[in-house]
Amino acid sequence: MRLSVPGRIPARQARLTGAVGLALTGLLAGAAPAATAAPAPLAPAAVAPAPAPAARVLAAPDIPLANVKAHLTQLSSIAAANGGNRAHGRAGYLASLNYVKGKLDAAGFTTTVQQFTSGGATGYNLIADWPGGDTNQVIMAGSHLDSVTAGAGINDNGSGSAALLENALAVSRAKLAPAKHLRFAWWGAEELGLVGSRYYVNNLSSANRARVSGYLNFDMIGSPNPGYFVYDDDPTIEQTFKDYYAGLGVATEIETEGDGRSDHAPFKNVGIPVGGLFSGADYIKTAAQAQKWGGTSGRAFDNCYHRSCDTTSNINDTALDRNSDAIAYALWELSA
């Protein structure tokens, strides 16, 4: 998550197996992927009966915490092998992008790397489309992949990036056939002022903006002294996350600390419905919040926010597990 600095543009500020080389597949340029050709009609005898209107397509899977943490370990190793960070314009960012892209390519996603320039350095967004679904109704989920230069950025925002990656892989494992089209994104240069996500949105045509039914953002979802915050932007998306947490018996609060400071903002600014989850940054947990969620009152939700101590030890497993599963619940519900 980026910092807000008055009077100026807000500034927020392994080793990958194999070559770090990146084969750019061309600029996304805002074009939604073409819909696949419709299959030939089945013979009448082979046509299955339509499901009852109340039938659910599939229940969202449990997202294995161990898998999410394995991705975090890889991002940590990438940072360690590349100067200690995964920041925009640094080798650690490109290696992180290649790691995520390799997993998605192997899982059957169509990946596209979008290139932009910020601060004299080349930046990259990674977009991954799951085949199928109505491309006139796109459910999109994103997380920023870059860290600040101070450290590896494992909670900010390895947590959101790793959970989103494992959710995408869960879609592949389930061979999910959603009614709506699913698109995932990992943004570059968020820490410099939402540069990557803003570039993506600005390069969408009006028609392609209208095709995005909702954007879900996940930035810092494993804070060590966590809260459970839900964006209150789009009522349907907000209620979806609240329903999930109500089922766990976990109270939530409206997210205010990061409002407008993460990658949902460019989408919201052009009228795309947005929502998301957040576990807290450098705001201080109150006594009432500690009573509700546990943890320590009088301390920041993440005392290592934007610091070198934002390592793999700076993660609360319970928060990361719950939020990873909440992402799956929302993706399955909203794309059905």
Side-chain angles (χ1 to χ4, degrees):
M1 178 176 295
R2 67 183 178 92
L3 291 169
S4 294
V5 180
R8 54 178 294 184
I9 295 175
R12 287 198 57 205
Q13 312 257 306
R15 179 167 42 206
L16 181 65
T17 303
V20 174
L22 176 65
L24 294 179
T25 58
L27 297 183
L28 186 62
T36 55
L42 294 173
V47 175
R56 304 303 295 272
V57 179
L58 281 175
D62 178 76
I63 301 300
L65 175 64
N67 292 7
V68 179
K69 295 193 73 176
H71 299 315
L72 290 179
T73 298
Q74 290 297 312
L75 294 177
S76 176
S77 297
I78 287 170
N82 290 280
N85 65 69
R86 301 179 302 100
H88 165 73
R90 309 294 180 91
Y93 179 78
L94 194 54
S96 298
L97 185 142
N98 277 334
Y99 170 75
V100 175
K101 185 178 187 298
K103 293 287 187 182
L104 295 167
D105 287 342
F109 283 83
T110 299
T111 59
T112 306
V113 176
Q114 184 180 45
Q115 183 175 333
F116 59 88
T117 301
S118 180
T122 301
Y124 307 94
N125 294 326
L126 175 63
I127 312 298
D129 285 276
W130 180 242
D134 182 359
T135 54
N136 287 314
Q137 298 183 80
V138 178
I139 296 297
M140 192 166 183
S143 296
H144 76 87
L145 187 57
D146 61 318
S147 74
V148 292
T149 56
I154 297 304
N155 186 38
D156 184 17
N157 182 38
S159 62
S161 292
L164 194 63
L165 172 58
E166 191 56 31
N167 267 275
L169 298 180
V171 166
S172 175
R173 289 192 295 267
K175 297 180 172 58
L176 188 65
K180 298 177 183 177
H181 183 76
L182 282 173
R183 180 174 299 153
F184 298 83
W186 287 262
W187 307 117
E190 186 270 358
E191 298 289 5
L192 301 184
L194 320 180
V195 178
S197 56
R198 183 178 291 115
Y199 183 86
Y200 175 84
V201 171
N202 287 348
N203 282 276
L204 285 175
S205 67
S206 296
N208 283 329
R209 286 180 183 178
R211 292 185 174 103
V212 182
S213 300
Y215 172 75
L216 315 180
N217 194 61
F218 307 105
D219 187 354
M220 301 181 68
I221 60 170
S223 301
N225 189 27
Y228 293 91
F229 299 100
V230 175
Y231 295 15
D232 67 339
D233 297 285
D234 177 73
T236 299
I237 299 173
E238 176 187 356
Q239 191 60 50
T240 301
F241 286 121
K242 286 182 173 180
D243 288 346
Y244 171 79
Y245 275 105
L248 295 183
V250 174
T252 60
E253 291 185 9
I254 297 304
E255 197 285 310
T256 58
E257 180 180 3
D259 195 22
R261 292 170 54 190
S262 193
D263 292 300
H264 61 293
F267 290 84
K268 180 179 178 179
N269 290 343
V270 296
I272 294 171
V274 302
L277 300 173
F278 178 58
S279 58
D282 56 356
Y283 279 21
I284 303 300
K285 179 177 278 189
T286 66
Q289 289 170 330
Q291 184 176 23
K292 178 165 50 182
W293 294 322
T296 307
S297 64
R299 289 180 59 86
F301 294 102
D302 183 355
N303 198 47
C304 287
Y305 173 62
H306 282 187
R307 297 172 60 193
S308 61
C309 56
D310 187 8
T311 65
T312 52
S313 63
N314 191 48
I315 291 289
N316 180 282
D317 284 359
T318 299
L320 183 63
D321 191 22
R322 287 172 171 173
N323 283 321
S324 297
D325 289 341
I327 295 171
Y329 179 82
L331 289 174
W332 259 250
E333 289 288 315
L334 294 171
S335 67

